[in-house]
Amino acid sequence: MHSRILIQVAAGVLISLLAWPAQQAVAQKCAATSVRKIKKLNIDALDDNDRWELSKARQKLEDAKLVAQSRKCLTHPELAVTYVILGVLEQRSQKPVAMKAAWLKALSINPKVVLHKRLQSAKLNRLFARVKAGYKPVARVVARTGALAPKGPPKGFEHVPILNWEEGKTLTISVRSMDKMGIQRVSLFYKTAADATPKRVELIKKGADKWSWSVVIEGTKIRGKELKYYLVAYATGDKEAAASGNSASMHIIALTSAAVVKRRSGEENPLTGGQLRRRAGRRVAARLDHALEDPDSPTERATTAPKKTPEEREPSVVKGFVGKARIFAALSAGTGFGLMTGRTEVTDEIAPSSPSLGSVYTHFELGYLVTQQFSINFSFRLGFLLISDEVKDPEDGGFTKPLDRTEPAVGVRNSNDFVGLLRARWQSKRLLRANLPINLRWYVGGGIGYGVIRHLVSGQLVDPTTGGTKTVLDSDLSKGIVPNAFAGISMCVVRSCAVNVHVEVNYLAAFWSDTDLNTPFHMDFSLGANFAF
């Protein structure tokens, strides 16, 4: 009886041991829930792409890549779809090199991947077919990660640099120090490409021997193409005792995916952006490095920034006008108000000190684009005032001018004004980061010229037969040298921003030797359109 029970238990244990490797293999596979998550993120990215919300779509794809990395789905065909969509986003951002790299990555995961039906167009189909035709499957190699631990007691402050690591994987950095150095604590300074300054974390003294210090960096902080770091050891009193690397010469860890495509001569690796680094040998700090210098100084950036070949340089997205636009033109209409001095033109009354309405005007501007944001323009403004008919020719209406003025009737000339200016205009880049068909920009500028500016003023005319008076709309005249300052907001109505509508505010004044003709303040508001061609 007992022997039979023992035999059954032994058989159960044997079956469990035999099944364990198979269970482990299944655990390594990409789970169906993970695939559904990646697929949903891809669909969300397609929806954002349809709305031209490219930054949101790109974030969805980054989330899909993180799911794939953390849940062992790096070789699943659904991840290939992620990179296909990413390539389309790069193409719409005018980055052909990044587009090709994303599509090559997709093909390395699934050589049979195709453009999603929602992405297909004549141009994208042609570009994708060209990349696919040039793709040749190559042997995969596993990235070497970490470094071999040194053996025996340390001979000083020792650290073996880690030159390759998987992006998103938890990283442990260790050092060893000999007892007589009196090390009290060790600090790690590290940063990725996105960090402006190094982050500082403290190492903990622990491990299999009495000389080891180590620190763990979470995988969520290990993102990008590379991670730079250096180590500083402190003795009693926070005195620097030793270091491995420094701010001017940091250790560099090349961050790679779990599987890396081996780079052929003269070909860019679409997975890592470069070839694997060779493993460094054991390094012993022979002297104290100046570890706390500014790691982001101009000298450091100039010496460590990688140089790109002309083939690797990507064309930047044009934020202003697209193409070689050289001519700027604008047409608008508006009105304004101002402060006056002197007397009215026909009724000869003292102009009031309160602001008065100006003319309704049309404004035309034509200029040369020195750059895609700066232009020199000639501006002409022609205005019209709705003055009373009696003011245009009082004698024809049976009225006399005050003070027995004997000069001929003014006629229709006092119902118009004009200003000619030479102006400089500077406009910003697009305010909205997304590559949308509609975008916003602001602009400012100024100029100087000559002009005649009129405002509407109430006045009195005398009827010679009855001696009575009549209230009429007269004009106040200002003319002379006209300074100008302006600002506005324009909205692109086409993707290239070659056609815009704008709202503009203008400050004007008029100064002449006759102070009665001066206007210290006039403000115009206009709505119009501008063009670049």
Side-chain angles (χ1 to χ4, degrees):
M1 182 68 160
H2 292 289
S3 60
R4 183 181 301 174
I5 294 174
L6 292 173
I7 292 173
Q8 291 177 350
V9 171
V13 172
L14 180 61
I15 293 173
S16 299
L17 292 174
L18 293 174
W20 185 79
Q23 293 173 355
Q24 289 299 105
V26 171
Q28 296 296 323
K29 294 182 179 179
C30 181
T33 55
S34 301
V35 176
R36 287 195 295 270
K37 179 64 175 177
I38 297 172
K39 187 173 183 179
K40 183 181 183 304
L41 289 169
N42 287 342
I43 293 174
D44 291 344
L46 288 171
D47 293 339
D48 291 334
N49 176 70
D50 292 341
R51 294 189 293 268
W52 277 92
E53 296 177 348
L54 303 188
S55 59
K56 291 184 179 180
R58 192 182 298 274
Q59 184 59 53
K60 298 291 194 315
L61 299 179
E62 291 298 326
D63 292 343
K65 289 161 62 178
L66 289 177
V67 172
Q69 289 175 354
S70 62
R71 301 184 184 180
K72 306 185 186 303
C73 299
L74 291 173
T75 58
H76 196 278
E78 191 61 39
L79 184 61
V81 177
T82 301
Y83 280 97
V84 168
I85 301 172
L86 179 60
V88 173
L89 298 185
E90 302 293 6
Q91 190 275 331
R92 289 190 169 183
S93 299
Q94 301 180 24
K95 297 180 179 179
V97 175
M99 174 200 73
K100 181 180 178 181
W103 284 348
L104 286 174
K105 177 67 178 289
L107 292 168
S108 70
I109 298 172
N110 179 17
K112 297 182 180 180
V113 70
V114 296
L115 277 176
H116 195 281
K117 61 182 180 181
R118 291 172 60 180
L119 300 174
Q120 292 184 4
S121 66
K123 182 177 181 180
L124 287 174
N125 290 343
R126 183 174 66 255
L127 292 173
F128 187 76
R130 187 181 304 168
V131 173
K132 192 171 185 178
Y135 171 73
K136 295 180 180 179
V138 294
R140 293 179 179 270
V141 297
V142 177
R144 295 181 298 174
T145 58
L148 297 177
K151 303 295 183 180
K155 299 179 181 179
F157 185 72
E158 297 181 353
H159 170 65
V160 179
I162 302 173
L163 299 184
N164 298 294
W165 198 256
E166 294 178 16
E167 183 183 14
K169 183 178 178 181
T170 300
L171 172 66
T172 300
I173 294 180
S174 302
V175 298
R176 303 199 312 157
S177 63
M178 57 190 303
D179 290 337
K180 68 178 183 180
M181 294 182 69
I183 302 299
Q184 298 298 314
R185 64 185 180 92
V186 180
S187 297
L188 168 71
F189 299 84
Y190 75 97
K191 68 174 184 176
T192 61
D195 298 324
T197 56
K199 300 176 183 177
R200 180 173 182 169
V201 294
E202 301 298 325
L203 279 73
I204 300 174
K205 190 172 185 179
K206 63 179 182 179
D209 54 55
K210 60 182 180 179
W211 311 292
S212 298
W213 302 71
S214 64
V215 66
V216 176
I217 303 176
E218 296 179 359
T220 55
K221 299 179 181 179
I222 303 176
R223 300 295 178 201
K225 294 184 177 180
E226 62 183 19
L227 183 144
K228 297 182 178 181
Y229 73 97
Y230 60 92
L231 296 141
V232 183
Y234 299 90
T236 304
D238 280 348
K239 181 180 179 181
E240 294 181 19
S244 178
N246 56 51
S247 61
S249 179
M250 304 175 76
H251 300 306
I252 299 175
I253 302 177
L255 300 179
T256 65
S257 300
V260 181
V261 173
K262 188 175 181 179
R263 190 168 87 167
R264 296 183 293 270
S265 176
E267 179 183 357
E268 183 182 22
N269 188 337
L271 301 185
T272 65
Q275 60 185 3
L276 295 177
R277 299 176 182 269
R278 292 176 296 177
R279 187 184 306 278
R282 182 175 178 179
R283 175 176 174 177
V284 178
R287 59 183 177 85
L288 177 63
D289 292 330
H290 298 287
L292 302 182
E293 297 172 358
D294 180 12
D296 294 294
S297 64
T299 304
E300 163 68 5
R301 291 195 295 268
T303 55
T304 60
K307 295 182 179 180
K308 294 185 177 181
T309 63
E311 293 77 10
E312 292 174 323
R313 297 190 185 105
E314 299 177 1
S316 59
V317 179
V318 179
K319 299 296 185 182
F321 297 110
V322 173
K324 295 182 178 180
R326 286 292 175 262
I327 304 299
F328 173 83
L331 182 64
S332 60
T335 187
F337 64 91
L339 299 175
M340 301 161 294
T341 59
R343 292 178 172 272
T344 58
E345 290 192 80
V346 175
T347 57
D348 199 37
E349 297 181 0
I350 297 176
S353 58
S354 58
S356 297
L357 187 66
S359 62
V360 177
Y361 64 87
T362 58
H363 175 226
F364 176 73
E365 191 168 11
L366 183 67
Y368 175 73
L369 285 164
V370 180
T371 69
Q372 300 302 295
Q373 294 178 258
F374 178 74
S375 63
I376 301 295
N377 311 321
F378 174 74
S379 167
F380 183 77
R381 171 188 180 278
L382 179 62
F384 306 88
L385 291 92
L386 299 177
I387 62 175
S388 300
D389 291 337
E390 294 85 357
V391 174
K392 294 180 182 178
D393 193 346
E395 295 174 349
D396 185 56
F399 295 91
T400 58
K401 300 175 183 178
L403 305 179
D404 298 323
R405 297 174 72 174
T406 58
E407 64 270 17
V410 177
V412 298
R413 290 177 298 170
N414 59 338
S415 62
N416 302 101
D417 62 5
F418 71 90
V419 177
L421 296 164
L422 181 65
R423 310 204 307 178
R425 181 181 187 273
W426 186 90
Q427 68 180 357
S428 71
K429 296 180 180 180
R430 299 184 185 190
L431 300 181
L432 304 180
R433 294 184 178 181
N435 189 14
L436 301 174
I438 295 178
N439 219 306
L440 297 175
R441 295 180 294 181
W442 57 266
Y443 62 91
V444 294
I448 194 167
Y450 177 83
V452 172
I453 302 174
R454 286 186 165 95
H455 299 88
L456 290 174
V457 186
S458 295
Q460 302 288 329
L461 284 177
V462 179
D463 187 338
T465 59
T466 64
T469 60
K470 182 178 182 180
T471 302
V472 294
L473 281 177
D474 198 359
S475 59
D476 174 76
L477 171 68
S478 301
K479 69 176 182 179
I481 302 299
V482 178
N484 169 231
F486 63 93
I489 295 178
S490 65
M491 181 177 70
C492 310
V493 296
V494 296
R495 195 176 303 280
S496 64
C497 279
V499 181
N500 309 266
V501 295
H502 67 259
V503 177
E504 184 173 303
V505 179
N506 274 274
Y507 164 77
L508 300 169
F511 300 102
W512 201 244
S513 57
D514 185 352
T515 56
D516 285 345
L517 299 178
N518 288 353
T519 292
F521 176 85
H522 178 88
M523 190 70 73
D524 276 341
F525 304 90
S526 61
L527 174 66
N530 60 72
F531 314 89
F533 50 89

